[in-house]
Amino acid sequence: MKKKLVLIIAIVLVAVTACVMLVGCAPKNPSDFMEKWLNSNSKSFKLGEMEVSIYGNISYGVSKIGDNEYISYTEIDGDNVITYSGVTVDGKTTWTKKTVTKAAMKEMLGLDKDFESLNDILMQQTGVSADDLKDFEEKSTKKDGVYVGNEDTDWEGITIKLSSKEMVITEGEGEGARVYTFTIGAKKITIPQEAKDAKEM
């Protein structure tokens, strides 16, 4: 009996540890997911041809406008913030680099507080709160695992699909729909050597 009890406790501990490693278990609802996403230092966001991800103290962003692709990396290195910007035209990428202090970056972005991570900057800039989705939860109906905004509310035409690591918000239907994808967890970001070798602006 004692051995069985020890085994049960061990299994529970393994399950709890696994949940913590996943930044919490499966989210209970959209606002719960958003809270986990906002507090994560490894995450990504995608909308159409634009994607942004954060992995620790490095961020990566890419967007396409016409035939051109715009790429940016931002890195916090000690008291400095280094931004590498690239433009790809006809398959060739041209890079520039700019280094500023944290204090200068704080002033440039109009931040109210000091920051230690790129996620600190994101949370101050966006002003997004998990509470923003509580109104949606009150005015939506869950159908087949998907939250659907109720008719005659501000959320009509909005659907939210959740998994343990991803929240997909769809606005509208068909080809004109806008799809916002929030993902907890991101691949390790490596800044290309050609970006690091770019001339300082």
Side-chain angles (χ1 to χ4, degrees), residues 98-155:
K98 185 173 184 179
T99 303
V100 298
T101 63
K102 283 183 179 178
M105 179 64 77
K106 177 184 175 183
E107 186 175 345
M108 283 167 54
L109 298 177
L111 303 179
D112 296 327
K113 303 175 184 176
D114 292 338
F115 61 88
E116 292 300 322
S117 69
L118 292 169
N119 197 46
D120 291 342
I121 296 175
L122 174 72
M123 291 181 72
Q124 287 192 61
Q125 275 195 304
T126 61
V128 174
S129 165
D131 290 339
D132 295 337
L133 289 176
K134 287 187 177 178
D135 184 56
F136 171 81
E137 290 161 12
E138 293 172 0
K139 298 176 181 177
S140 66
T141 303
K142 196 173 182 181
K143 299 177 182 178
D144 301 323
V146 178
Y147 292 84
V148 180
N150 294 335
E151 293 182 7
D152 300 322
T153 70
D154 296 339
W155 299 98

Side-chain angles (χ1 to χ4, degrees), residues 15-201:
V16 170
T17 303
C19 286
V20 171
M21 301 262 311
L22 290 171
V23 195
C25 297
K28 296 175 284 188
N29 46 48
S31 58
D32 183 42
F33 181 96
M34 183 57 77
E35 184 174 358
K36 289 177 170 62
W37 187 86
L38 286 169
N39 289 319
S40 174
N41 282 314
S42 175
K43 60 188 170 192
S44 65
F45 169 77
K46 185 175 182 181
L47 170 62
E49 297 290 332
M50 180 192 75
E51 185 173 356
V52 177
S53 59
I54 290 176
Y55 187 91
N57 279 334
I58 301 178
S59 71
Y60 165 76
V62 61
S63 62
K64 290 182 180 178
I65 301 176
D67 295 329
N68 299 340
E69 185 176 67
Y70 298 85
I71 308 163
S72 69
Y73 292 89
T74 302
E75 177 182 25
I76 294 178
D77 183 13
D79 193 45
N80 293 323
V81 180
I82 310 167
T83 302
Y84 308 88
S85 302
V87 181
T88 303
V89 180
D90 296 329
K92 183 180 179 181
T93 305
T94 304
W95 292 97
T96 57
K97 178 171 67 174
K98 185 173 184 179
T99 303
V100 298
T101 63
K102 283 183 179 178
M105 179 64 77
K106 177 184 175 183
E107 186 175 345
M108 283 167 54
L109 298 177
L111 303 179
D112 296 327
K113 303 175 184 176
D114 292 338
F115 61 88
E116 292 300 322
S117 69
L118 292 169
N119 197 46
D120 291 342
I121 296 175
L122 174 72
M123 291 181 72
Q124 287 192 61
Q125 275 195 304
T126 61
V128 174
S129 165
D131 290 339
D132 295 337
L133 289 176
K134 287 187 177 178
D135 184 56
F136 171 81
E137 290 161 12
E138 293 172 0
K139 298 176 181 177
S140 66
T141 303
K142 196 173 182 181
K143 299 177 182 178
D144 301 323
V146 178
Y147 292 84
V148 180
N150 294 335
E151 293 182 7
D152 300 322
T153 70
D154 296 339
W155 299 98
E156 184 177 356
I158 305 290
T159 62
I160 297 182
K161 186 175 182 180
L162 288 178
S163 67
S164 61
K165 293 278 192 168
E166 194 169 82
M167 177 168 70
V168 179
I169 301 176
T170 304
E171 179 183 4
E173 297 179 355
E175 292 183 3
R178 291 169 67 86
V179 180
Y180 308 82
T181 304
F182 297 82
T183 305
I184 296 174
K187 294 179 181 178
K188 185 176 180 180
I189 300 171
T190 302
I191 301 171
Q193 189 59 49
E194 54 265 35
K196 292 184 176 182
D197 292 341
K199 290 183 178 179
E200 188 80 26
M201 289 179 64

